[in-house]
Amino acid sequence: MTAERRSIVIIDDHSLFRQGIRALLESAFDIVGEGGTSYDALRLVAETSPDVLLLDVELPGIPAEQTITRVRRDHPEVAIVVLTMHNDVALERQLLRAGASHYVTKKVNGDDLSMIVSGATPAPATTRPAAPDTEAAAPTILTSRELDVLRMIAQAYTNRDISVQLHIAEGTVKRHTTNMYVKLGATSRIDAVRKAARLGLLDASRPYAQETSAQETRAPEARASETRAPEPGTPRS
């Protein structure tokens, strides 16, 4: 007796990648839908009731965590496999806690991905958040002050601007920024902003990445002023 083929919805904002995944999986699975946004994911799951949702992380629309939360709430029978380019422990932990069944990087080979999709089952109910409909379901990975600093960094404020606005020393701003890098696994301001946005810590509708990119590409002398050593005799903050 032939086993019933599993049905899959593929969500990724790169159409060429979706085509590659379809070509890889369609001989063994039924591809019942494809899309490029988080809203496509919610719509297609509702319309097709797939066995597996194959979901990218960085998508237009709501953050991945909220997408997973809503699918788990409304369609608990669907297994969610996150397929992403980011080998990010903090993000993996967050999305698994939200209800993803598997977190897989795009370095996975085709045979392994097929095995994962074949064996994927819905995450147990204990992994679901208590209040899945909450729009602000952000993790408490950062302190409230670190979040204040992060939001201002995302709006292209300099360390000096942040210190003035928050009434704290510039050295304190730098310490908060360093702590954020460690907690988020980030290597730069723009990396921290992007990772925080993926975790739902920032408003996904705002163009943070562009704002921060503009900040990082401003004149070298302006960037250097943030880290230049104080002149002799200048009191330290």
Side-chain angles (χ1 to χ4, degrees):
M1 180 176 177
T2 304
E4 186 177 350
R5 287 162 62 98
R6 307 198 81 189
S7 58
I8 305 173
V9 164
I10 303 171
I11 302 294
D12 193 288
D13 60 339
H14 292 93
S15 59
L16 189 61
F17 183 80
R18 288 201 310 271
Q19 292 170 16
I21 293 297
R22 170 183 277 277
L24 177 68
L25 298 178
E26 64 184 352
S27 63
F29 305 96
D30 290 333
I31 312 301
V32 295
E34 295 181 27
T37 73
S38 55
Y39 298 113
D40 288 338
L42 298 176
R43 176 179 58 81
L44 288 168
V45 166
E47 290 176 357
T48 66
S49 299
D51 295 309
V52 179
L53 169 62
L54 202 56
L55 183 70
D56 189 21
V57 171
E58 290 188 336
L59 295 168
I62 61 176
E65 183 199 4
Q66 291 182 24
T67 303
I68 292 169
T69 295
R70 293 187 187 187
V71 171
R72 294 295 292 122
R73 178 195 66 199
D74 298 334
H75 307 279
E77 73 284 358
V78 176
I80 303 169
V81 176
V82 173
L83 183 59
T84 176
M85 63 181 291
H86 301 286
N87 186 9
D88 186 321
V89 174
L91 180 62
E92 177 181 3
R93 184 165 53 243
Q94 186 63 29
L95 297 185
L96 290 175
R97 186 161 56 236
S101 305
H102 297 274
Y103 183 99
V104 185
T105 71
K106 290 180 178 178
K107 293 181 179 179
V108 66
N109 65 50
D111 289 341
D112 287 344
L113 180 60
S114 294
M115 288 179 61
I116 290 169
V117 172
S118 295
T121 57
T126 54
T127 67
R128 298 180 214 162
D133 208 16
T134 303
E135 288 295 323
T140 56
I141 190 172
L142 303 180
T143 67
S144 60
R145 181 56 87 188
E146 288 166 354
L147 281 171
D148 290 338
V149 172
L150 177 63
R151 290 179 184 122
M152 297 187 76
I153 286 175
Q155 296 175 64
Y157 281 85
T158 65
N159 287 343
R160 183 171 300 173
D161 292 335
I162 296 171
S163 70
V164 171
Q165 292 288 328
L166 297 182
H167 307 290
I168 58 178
E170 194 170 343
T172 303
V173 175
K174 293 176 182 177
R175 186 173 70 249
H176 286 315
T177 303
T178 299
N179 290 341
M180 285 188 295
Y181 284 6
V182 172
K183 291 180 179 181
L184 294 170
T187 57
S188 67
R189 284 185 163 213
I190 191 169
D191 191 32
V193 169
R194 286 174 174 167
K195 288 185 175 181
R198 290 202 307 271
L199 288 168
L201 292 167
L202 295 172
D203 182 355
S205 67
R206 295 200 54 177
Y208 289 120
Q210 291 89 331
E211 291 177 359
T212 311
S213 295
Q215 178 191 13
E216 292 199 345
T217 56
R218 68 191 187 281
E221 58 271 18
R223 293 198 306 270
S225 67
E226 292 187 16
T227 56
R228 188 179 297 129
E231 297 294 332
T234 302
R236 294 181 178 272
S237 52

